Amino acid sequence: MKNSIYQGGRHQEIIQLFAETFPFEEDKKEGSLIGKLAKDLLENTSNQYLKVFISMHEGVISACVIFSKLRFKQNHTNAWLLSPIAVKPTARGKGIGTNLIKYAHGVLRNGGVQIVTTYGDIRFYSKVGYKPISTKIIQAPLTIGCPKCWIAQSLENHEIKPITGKTYCVEAINDTRYW
Ligand SMILES: CC(C)(COP(=O)(O)OP(=O)(O)OC[C@H]1O[C@@H](n2cnc3c(N)ncnc32)[C@H](O)[C@@H]1OP(=O)(O)O)[C@@H](O)C(=O)NCCC(=O)NCCS
């Protein structure tokens, strides 16, 4: 298994990976909702706001994690949102997901990223350093239905200081269905 920064050219394979991973979130018109999210991120989001990491095995993409930029109204903290992640069903439970996230964090840290956040299950994400974060410290970009699923970590090993004001995500994920 080899982790790398996605260099483009395989959008369809990645979209398919997410669509197959989340088939139950069927949206009748559009198919898999997370497949649509992956497509919107890859096809309609400026490269400067997107960082995509893949794990390859025998020429096939076995896992992918996408980060997109989070911006703040009055603050220039370099923050990114992890969403979504998928590991092929046959490859799960072998450390590939946690390994890929740790690799991505390393690349992001070296690139000056200070904070990563996500909206997900802490039972998984705690294994790669995420902790619940109050919306009083960092607002979620949209109203969240599960406050304990709003989680984050400093890549600089600092305590996260409160960031005042509104948070903005990229347009692809600016949709209440993902929150
Ligand atoms: C979640 C996912 C990305 C994890 O990748 P993976 O390669 O299977 O995970 P790893 O082998 O690195 O797992 C590491 C640990 O996470 C745990 N874990 C895996 N999926 C989990 C889940 N959905 N909830 C809670 N814990 C989970 C494993 O039990 C393992 O724990 P252990 O080290 O204590 O045994 C992958 O299983 C997947 O694509 N699942 C479907 C999509 C999904 O649920 N994505 C969102 C995650 S909130």
Side-chain angles (χ1 to χ4, degrees):
M1 209 59 67
K2 189 174 181 316
N3 296 326
S4 63
I5 301 169
Y6 174 58
Q7 303 292 346
R10 300 178 76 150
H11 283 14
Q12 213 41 54
E13 188 180 350
I14 293 176
I15 294 163
Q16 191 62 27
L17 168 65
F18 283 106
E20 281 170 7
T21 299
F22 297 93
F24 301 116
E25 301 186 45
E26 291 283 329
D27 179 297
K28 286 197 176 69
K29 282 190 208 124
E30 296 165 297
S32 162
L33 191 57
I34 304 300
K36 172 180 152 44
L37 172 60
K39 182 175 164 64
D40 284 345
L41 284 166
L42 291 171
E43 294 182 355
N44 304 324
T45 306
S46 163
N47 271 340
Q48 69 185 120
Y49 298 139
L50 202 64
K51 295 190 191 290
V52 182
F53 302 89
I54 54 172
S55 183
M56 300 275 300
H57 181 60
E58 294 178 346
V60 174
I61 298 177
S62 300
C64 178
V65 61
I66 302 180
F67 288 80
S68 58
K69 187 90 173 89
L70 269 189
R71 281 168 292 161
F72 307 103
K73 190 163 188 173
Q74 303 149 350
N75 189 296
H76 294 293
T77 300
N78 193 347
W80 291 69
L81 174 73
L82 181 169
S83 182
I85 178 169
V87 175
K88 268 195 184 296
T90 50
R92 286 184 200 153
K94 298 176 185 167
I96 293 168
T98 45
N99 216 284
L100 180 61
I101 294 173
K102 285 178 193 165
Y103 167 79
H105 286 169
V107 173
L108 294 171
R109 182 184 296 112
N110 290 341
V113 172
Q114 297 166 286
I115 293 173
V116 283
T117 70
T118 190
Y119 183 59
D121 190 335
I122 189 65
R123 288 172 300 173
F124 171 65
Y125 288 108
S126 60
K127 295 178 193 300
V128 284
Y130 289 80
K131 292 184 181 153
I133 185 159
S134 163
T135 50
K136 290 185 182 139
I137 306 290
I138 298 180
Q139 284 189 25
L142 278 81
T143 305
I144 48 175
C146 171
K148 66 176 189 210
C149 302
W150 181 234
I151 57 186
Q153 70 179 289
S154 161
L155 293 184
E156 302 173 312
N157 293 323
H158 292 160
E159 192 185 340
I160 298 177
K161 301 221 171 73
I163 295 176
T164 319
K166 206 169 155 26
T167 304
Y168 302 92
C169 59
V170 297
E171 202 46 44
I173 199 162
N174 188 22
D175 182 326
T176 52
R177 290 178 296 177
Y178 302 125
W179 299 86

